[in-house]
Amino acid sequence: MKRVLEPELMDSFAQALAYSEADFSLSDRGFMEALAKYLIESGQAIFSDHVIIDLGCGPGKITELLANQWPQCQVCGIDGAEVMLDLARKRKDQFLPHVKSLKYLRRNIASLADTNKKTNLKGNLLVSNSLLHHLHDPLELWRTLINLSCPESIVFHRDLRRPESKVKALEIQQKYLPIAPQVLIDDYLASLQASFTVAEVKLQLQQFNLGHWNVVEVDDRYLEISGTF
Ligand SMILES: C[S@@+](CC[C@H](N)C(=O)[O-])C[C@H]1O[C@@H](n2cnc3c(N)ncnc32)[C@H](O)[C@@H]1O
């Protein structure tokens, strides 16, 4: 199936609310478990003076898990959609009011990817979940990581993987999101069509001499990218 772009930002209120109210806890926990496994297997660790950046954080559910896992670290969730960040900040006030080390920033990945713009924002752990497929130019994510990295920054990114056909995409939607508001089902199908294959991501990374990072298929719907600068 050919890649079909979807809008980058999830900035309609109905769309952001449906996404925030959906229960993705199983896959969010899967993200954290896979990250922990990668850190152990690669012999890397997160230290208390580390900065963790969650790109395309949406309503912040994974950002919160990161802040809970590493409470001594500064954790920063970044998204370009103000409605998503409003939801993320409300969740933080409700569920993690005592956590001072978690903050949210509104930035478009395009501006972070611009090598002419210097940024003081640097992360020792740079993660994203379900961001890459939103980007019309996927190379912006890899440029952003280069700009936000410091020596030995760890990267861990998970996204949907593009199925071979629309029929397969429908099968995946019916398996993992059978009952949901229509806006969420439409977004999910659009996301599957906009996502990449492992081979495509490997080619993208090679353009930045990052071909040594691991890009692997995970079960029947995800791909995972991990590595170190
Ligand atoms: C599918 S949601 C994933 C949210 C979160 N990472 C999660 O797993 O729950 C994708 C998020 O990426 C954001 N996004 C997409 N393109 C972006 C861009 N160019 N700059 C900043 N944020 C972007 C969207 O606004 C949306 O909140």
Side-chain angles (χ1 to χ4, degrees), residues 14-96:
Q15 183 186 37
L17 191 66
Y19 188 85
S20 176
E21 287 183 346
D23 181 7
F24 294 128
S25 54
L26 209 63
S27 67
D28 291 351
R29 276 204 303 278
F31 178 94
M32 293 300 291
E33 282 161 15
L35 169 59
K37 186 166 178 272
Y38 169 63
L39 291 174
I40 290 168
E41 285 178 358
S42 61
Q44 301 180 93
I46 305 300
F47 298 102
S48 57
D49 60 343
H50 278 178
V51 175
I52 300 173
I53 299 178
D54 181 13
L55 295 160
C57 63
K61 292 184 185 174
I62 289 181
T63 333
E64 290 165 16
L65 294 175
L66 293 162
N68 274 326
Q69 178 80 30
W70 289 290
Q72 312 302 326
C73 295
Q74 294 296 317
V75 178
C76 179
I78 295 182
D79 205 283
E82 193 57 42
V83 280
M84 279 293 193
L85 292 176
D86 279 349
L87 293 166
R89 292 190 183 109
K90 280 192 187 119
R91 283 184 55 88
K92 179 190 177 306
D93 291 346
Q94 190 179 353
F95 301 119
L96 300 173

Side-chain angles (χ1 to χ4, degrees), residues 1-17:
M1 163 169 81
K2 263 184 78 177
R3 183 179 188 226
V4 181
L5 301 184
E6 69 167 339
E8 291 206 346
L9 300 184
M10 293 176 69
D11 53 4
S12 106
F13 182 70
Q15 183 186 37
L17 191 66

Side-chain angles (χ1 to χ4, degrees), residues 37-226:
K37 186 166 178 272
Y38 169 63
L39 291 174
I40 290 168
E41 285 178 358
S42 61
Q44 301 180 93
I46 305 300
F47 298 102
S48 57
D49 60 343
H50 278 178
V51 175
I52 300 173
I53 299 178
D54 181 13
L55 295 160
C57 63
K61 292 184 185 174
I62 289 181
T63 333
E64 290 165 16
L65 294 175
L66 293 162
N68 274 326
Q69 178 80 30
W70 289 290
Q72 312 302 326
C73 295
Q74 294 296 317
V75 178
C76 179
I78 295 182
D79 205 283
E82 193 57 42
V83 280
M84 279 293 193
L85 292 176
D86 279 349
L87 293 166
R89 292 190 183 109
K90 280 192 187 119
R91 283 184 55 88
K92 179 190 177 306
D93 291 346
Q94 190 179 353
F95 301 119
L96 300 173
H98 50 285
V99 177
K100 300 278 173 276
S101 54
L102 167 60
K103 64 177 181 181
Y104 290 104
L105 272 183
R106 185 177 183 189
R107 294 279 187 286
N108 196 302
I109 296 299
S111 71
L112 297 172
D114 185 346
T115 41
N116 294 318
K117 284 189 189 159
K118 284 275 163 258
T119 173
N120 291 328
L121 195 62
K122 298 285 172 192
N124 306 89
L125 173 61
L126 302 164
V127 306
S128 73
N129 184 56
S130 285
L131 169 66
L132 180 64
H133 72 267
H134 277 277
L135 303 178
H136 294 183
D137 176 2
L139 302 188
E140 285 183 347
L141 179 57
W142 316 125
R143 285 194 194 100
T144 295
L145 296 186
I146 292 167
N147 282 347
L148 301 190
S149 66
C150 42
E152 297 180 13
S153 286
I154 300 165
V155 300
F156 187 82
H157 300 265
R158 184 181 263 216
D159 200 359
L160 291 167
R161 192 171 83 228
R162 195 167 75 253
E164 63 207 28
S165 65
K166 282 190 180 172
V167 173
K168 279 264 172 243
L170 272 170
E171 278 172 21
I172 291 175
Q173 176 260 313
Q174 275 156 21
K175 181 169 172 188
Y176 293 105
L177 200 66
I179 300 162
Q182 195 56 43
V183 63
L184 198 62
I185 291 180
D186 292 346
D187 272 355
Y188 194 70
L189 286 168
S191 295
L192 285 165
Q193 290 192 66
S195 58
F196 294 95
T197 62
V198 162
E200 288 168 343
V201 173
K202 282 185 175 172
L203 281 177
Q204 293 164 19
L205 291 174
Q206 279 165 18
Q207 296 185 49
F208 298 97
N209 292 326
L210 298 171
H212 55 286
W213 286 0
N214 316 302
V215 188
V216 292
E217 293 191 348
V218 177
D219 64 39
D220 56 351
R221 60 176 168 157
Y222 291 124
L223 56 76
E224 221 167 70
I225 301 134
S226 55

